[in-house]
Amino acid sequence: LREQGIERINQADTQKKLDEIRVELIGRKGQLTEILHSMKDVAPENRPKVGQQVNQLRDLFQSSFDDAKEKLVQALIAKRLEEEKIDVTLPGRQAHLGSKHPMYVILDDLERFFIGMGYKVVQGPEIETDHYCFEMMNLPKDHPARDMQATFYIDDENLLRTQTSGDQARVLEKHDFLKGPLKMVGPGKVYRRDDDDATHSHQFMQMEGLVVDKNVTMSDLKGTLELIAKHEFGQDRKTRLRPSYFPFTEPSVEMDVSCFNCDGKGCPICKYTGWIEVLGAGMVHPNVLENAGIDSTVYGGFAFGLGIDRFAILKYGVSDIRDFYTNDVRFLEQFRKEE
Ligand code: PHE
């Protein structure tokens, strides 16, 4: 039993086999235990001797098991080390650096521009409430102008915001005019139901702007829009204001800049008009101020909504608006130099 047992222990090549052999030899129902149980058949005078032998054998097996187990563990570690060996002489692989999305190249630049003029930057929720997106903005339920923006409703009260204008209401409600005028911009993504093609997208970027104080006039608005256009598109870009309609501004305007691509001569990007609409704006409607608890006979202001996608199209000559959200690295990598 001794020779056979030792040999089997030494031949076991996995922990599992080793454990099986251990159970067979010295387990509670193992061969040695059986010998101990059959002591009654041994002549009484021989019992101490046999018992001693059995115990010795058990100790021997136990230490053989321990040795064999240690060997297996060592072998395993050695194998692991061999497999995970690192060849330090291999040439290094260049880590691939990402680049800033073109939309954020423009947004970050604009934020810096506005911060420099004393605006603060706010961030409203993309899942907006009907209350802030529309009702507070002078667009009660059933107002026909709601049709201007095909809305993704989530339920009666929640929707994917169609405009960043809800940011205006949120900020107006909280602003303390004793601490100074309100000047803010609110950049972010907006959503509208639309059939996507090269020039239409169900998601795009806006940057909301709002200035409210005593004695704010339309010429403040014109001056600000002019500054924005010059900053964004260059000092010699021409601009024009067209009368327009938004429920939350009165009067309302839209600003066009001369087409960056064809310099006003006409091309597919400007639909052969020579002009591209880049923003809507106007003087804040008294109802919007009153809705937020502000006395519209004392305070007034202007607001604007910049179409960041339009800015990007003009600036980079992008011909398919979908490139902005499909995240094709071949498209995105072209803007590395812009950061
Ligand atoms: N929210 C308007 C739009 O999405 C843009 C706008 C903002 C117009 C602020 C006027 C003032 O079309």
Side-chain angles (χ1 to χ4, degrees), residues 238-252:
K238 289 196 278 294
T239 63
R240 70 174 185 189
L241 292 181
R242 280 178 291 104
S244 184
Y245 170 77
F246 300 105
F248 30 85
T249 48
E250 179 59 35
S252 303

Side-chain angles (χ1 to χ4, degrees), residues 137 148-149 162-165 168 190 192 204 206-209 246 248-249 252-254 277 279-282 302-306:
M137 298 312 290
M148 288 167 72
Q149 303 177 352
T162 54
Q163 53 183 2
T164 44
S165 298
Q168 288 191 38
V190 300
R192 294 189 195 172
F204 51 100
Q206 287 188 336
M207 185 181 250
E208 194 76 16
F246 300 105
F248 30 85
T249 48
S252 303
V253 295
E254 275 171 315
E277 179 202 324
L279 59 88
F302 64 78
F304 53 84
L306 313 182

Side-chain angles (χ1 to χ4, degrees), residues 24-306:
E24 264 178 54
L25 289 179
I26 57 174
R28 267 197 299 136
K29 290 183 181 150
Q31 292 174 350
L32 277 186
T33 319
E34 228 159 69
I35 294 176
L36 283 178
H37 282 323
S38 53
M39 271 303 225
K40 56 183 183 312
D41 303 332
V42 176
E45 64 272 25
N46 288 337
R47 281 181 196 168
K49 205 167 157 236
V50 174
Q52 207 187 4
Q53 279 179 344
V54 170
N55 282 340
Q56 273 173 0
L57 196 53
R58 198 194 21 229
D59 290 347
L60 181 70
F61 281 162
Q62 185 61 54
S63 60
S64 306
F65 275 125
D66 292 345
D67 290 350
K69 190 166 173 179
E70 180 63 20
K71 260 191 228 149
L72 281 179
V73 170
Q74 289 302 335
L76 214 66
I77 291 175
K79 192 161 156 246
R80 268 270 249 333
L81 284 175
E82 180 61 30
E83 279 170 4
E84 293 174 6
K85 203 154 80 178
I86 294 172
D87 182 354
V88 291
T89 64
L90 273 179
R93 235 173 272 154
Q94 189 82 47
H96 193 76
L97 281 183
S99 53
K100 212 189 254 182
H101 192 283
M103 220 59 107
Y104 280 93
V105 175
I106 293 184
L107 276 184
D108 289 351
D109 171 67
L110 277 172
E111 278 180 21
R112 270 192 299 274
F113 172 72
F114 284 113
I115 287 169
M117 297 198 295
Y119 288 63
K120 67 173 175 178
V121 179
V122 304
Q123 191 103 57
E126 284 182 26
I127 296 179
E128 184 54 289
T129 56
D130 190 274
H131 177 73
Y132 282 111
C133 196
F134 295 135
E135 283 174 71
M136 288 290 280
M137 298 312 290
N138 198 31
L139 262 154
K141 291 208 160 81
D142 304 324
H143 192 292
R146 283 198 178 203
D147 289 348
M148 288 167 72
Q149 303 177 352
T151 310
F152 286 116
Y153 282 96
I154 294 168
D155 52 38
D156 278 353
E157 187 48 32
N158 297 289
L159 43 87
L160 293 182
R161 65 177 175 185
T162 54
Q163 53 183 2
T164 44
S165 298
D167 293 356
Q168 288 191 38
R170 288 174 180 276
V171 172
L172 280 169
E173 265 183 352
K174 291 211 198 87
H175 189 75
D176 179 3
F177 283 96
L178 293 177
K179 292 191 176 142
L182 187 170
K183 295 167 90 176
M184 73 87 177
V185 284
K189 216 196 258 185
V190 300
Y191 303 83
R192 294 189 195 172
R193 282 188 286 115
D194 210 340
D195 294 324
D196 290 10
D197 61 28
T199 56
H200 297 87
S201 171
H202 67 284
Q203 54 173 305
F204 51 100
M205 283 278 192
Q206 287 188 336
M207 185 181 250
E208 194 76 16
L210 177 66
V211 172
V212 179
D213 197 4
K214 293 172 180 162
N215 306 318
V216 179
T217 67
M218 184 99 186
S219 42
D220 296 318
L221 172 62
K222 273 187 83 170
T224 304
L225 297 184
E226 193 72 27
L227 277 178
I228 296 170
K230 296 257 155 85
H231 170 79
E232 196 57 32
F233 306 113
Q235 294 302 316
D236 44 35
R237 207 110 300 272
K238 289 196 278 294
T239 63
R240 70 174 185 189
L241 292 181
R242 280 178 291 104
S244 184
Y245 170 77
F246 300 105
F248 30 85
T249 48
E250 179 59 35
S252 303
V253 295
E254 275 171 315
M255 186 172 76
D256 298 339
V257 297
S258 51
C259 182
F260 191 87
N261 191 47
C262 61
D263 204 21
K265 288 187 202 64
C267 71
I269 288 181
C270 58
K271 296 199 178 113
Y272 301 98
T273 61
W275 296 95
I276 294 198
E277 179 202 324
V278 289
L279 59 88
M283 302 310 289
V284 178
H285 195 293
N287 287 357
V288 173
L289 297 171
E290 297 293 337
N291 285 348
I294 295 166
D295 186 346
S296 63
T297 62
V298 180
Y299 291 97
F302 64 78
F304 53 84
L306 313 182

